[in-house]
Amino acid sequence: MLYRTVRSLAFCSLVLAGLGCEKESEAIVSIALHPTNANILYVATNDAVYKSRDAGATWERFPGFSARRVTTVAIDPQLPATVYAGTMGDAVYKSPDGGQHWLPHNVGLKEHVSYVNQFVFHPIESEKIYAATTVGAYYTKDGGREWEERMAGMKEVHIVVSVAINHIDPKVLYAGTTGGIYRSDDAAASWKKINNGLIPEAELMAAMALGVNVIALDPLDPDRVYAGTTKGLFRTSNKGEVWERIGHTIPESFVSSIAIHPAQPHLLYIGGPGGVWKSTDGGARWQAVNTGLATLNIRALAMGPRNPQELYAGTNGSGLYHSTDGGEHWTPMPLKAARPVS
């Protein structure tokens, strides 16, 4: 039951107990959408990174990773031809040319990191990147050429599963860990625990009792933060000083992903082993939006940066799905048409 909050292990070992991990291209672990070109998107499966240049009609598969498993993929928001891939066992790869070539960018990481969970970019200086890993939070100021550990104040935990940055004040960051949530007010130079309302300290000390899988900030009011955990969905309106549990009507408490409308933040979606759920009132009420999904085990959600009605859902059993109507209907987007890159 340890390491429940590490996404791949959580879904393969716990949530899907008895079902087993899926074959290549059936488990979508990460989705990255181009910030300005809706035709370009990347997805990571356990085994590879795929790219589409035509809105998902056809795909390229990028081989050559020496890692056993790809765990996350992210696009540089300022230089979208630059793509980063996190792996299990081989740290970070970077492509400067839209995926055609990949090089390891592991100085400071390789000796330590076994699993990269997430990348988060500074909103203005995108060469500054934070990485959530199984051995803590790391930071690079030069696009991954060199990484340094940023764990001051996180003495109780090592596994960092998620990171989020305040896009208005990027000195403020949040880290979701196997020991709850931490906030930094000094660009990750130091962290403080902010678990008030998440879980009592006595319970937290019991074998990773709460893991924080995903953190998302309200795009208009970044002091309002949502946290998807192994034990439900939480919200704060004061930068994490006090949290409250929301979404009590959602039957599955494990939350793997959150997507928030950029201009109407009262409209948000969550995903998990119980499918996709939608709220139109800031999380007070929820409805399931799973029509067309063959598998409800959701590992990743992504919202179109230019069209928030467009959603992508990565499942752990039946691949990638696409919605053009805010999740009301989903259609499969198979990767089987992928063609190898020479």
Side-chain angles (χ1 to χ4, degrees):
M1 295 298 289
L2 296 180
Y3 307 121
R4 182 172 182 173
T5 56
V6 179
R7 290 186 181 91
S8 179
L9 298 179
F11 278 85
C12 293
S13 301
L14 293 170
V15 177
L16 299 178
L19 298 181
C21 291
E22 298 299 328
K23 296 181 294 183
E24 180 177 338
S25 85
E26 293 182 348
I28 306 296
V29 300
S30 183
I31 303 167
L33 306 181
H34 193 286
T36 58
N37 187 339
N39 288 320
I40 297 178
L41 60 151
Y42 296 80
V43 300
T45 70
N46 283 334
D47 305 290
V49 175
Y50 291 79
K51 178 183 180 180
S52 177
R53 305 172 189 268
D54 51 17
T58 60
W59 295 84
E60 303 166 79
R61 183 185 189 277
F62 300 121
F65 289 100
S66 60
R68 288 185 294 137
R69 180 170 297 172
V70 181
T71 54
T72 188
V73 62
I75 299 173
D76 185 319
Q78 305 295 331
L79 301 169
T82 300
V83 187
Y84 295 82
T87 70
M88 183 178 75
D90 213 16
V92 176
Y93 284 81
K94 178 180 178 179
S95 172
D97 53 10
Q100 301 306 305
H101 303 89
W102 297 85
L103 293 171
H105 276 60
N106 294 332
V107 174
L109 284 176
K110 179 67 174 177
E111 304 82 10
H112 311 291
V113 171
S114 60
Y115 197 112
V116 179
N117 288 310
Q118 186 186 6
F119 299 107
V120 170
F121 297 89
H122 189 284
I124 300 170
E125 303 171 84
S126 60
E127 70 276 10
K128 297 180 178 180
I129 308 167
Y130 300 87
T133 82
T134 47
V135 294
Y138 281 78
Y139 167 75
T140 178
K141 61 183 178 182
D142 51 18
R145 291 186 185 90
E146 188 169 357
W147 297 85
E148 59 186 69
E149 185 183 86
R150 290 292 181 93
M151 287 290 285
M154 288 192 195
K155 294 180 180 179
E156 300 89 350
V157 300
H158 295 289
I159 299 176
V160 179
V161 186
S162 55
V163 175
I165 192 167
N166 183 325
H167 283 73
I168 295 174
D169 182 3
K171 296 189 302 296
V172 177
L173 294 107
Y174 299 84
T177 77
T178 48
I181 299 181
Y182 290 76
R183 188 182 77 228
S184 173
D185 298 315
D186 53 14
S190 63
W191 300 88
K192 73 170 184 176
K193 189 189 302 181
I194 51 168
N195 281 342
N196 185 18
L198 280 178
I199 187 169
E201 190 70 20
E203 293 182 28
L204 185 62
M205 299 308 294
M208 299 186 184
L210 177 77
V212 182
N213 300 316
V214 58
I215 301 172
L217 277 61
D218 184 310
L220 301 185
D221 178 10
D223 289 351
R224 180 181 293 267
V225 184
Y226 296 87
T229 80
T230 56
K231 294 191 175 181
L233 180 65
F234 291 82
R235 180 181 62 200
T236 178
S237 59
N238 52 15
K239 300 172 64 175
E241 294 299 323
V242 178
W243 295 89
E244 61 175 329
R245 172 84 186 273
I246 62 174
H248 294 277
T249 58
I250 301 171
E252 172 57 59
S253 61
F254 192 106
V255 178
S256 66
S257 46
I258 301 173
I260 305 178
H261 193 291
Q264 303 171 37
H266 57 276
L267 176 57
L268 63 153
Y269 301 81
I270 66 168
V276 181
W277 290 77
K278 177 180 181 179
S279 175
T280 59
D281 56 9
R285 292 170 294 182
W286 294 87
Q287 65 180 55
V289 285
N290 295 318
T291 300
L293 294 176
T295 301
L296 297 186
N297 292 293
I298 305 299
R299 291 184 72 163
L301 281 177
M303 179 180 288
R306 300 176 70 86
N307 178 14
Q309 284 290 101
E310 190 166 41
L311 299 169
Y312 296 86
T315 75
N316 203 70
S318 57
L320 182 67
Y321 287 82
H322 181 218
S323 173
T324 59
D325 56 8
E328 296 301 316
H329 303 87
W330 297 93
T331 57
M333 187 174 276
L335 306 182
K336 293 180 180 179
R339 53 185 182 274
V341 178
S342 58

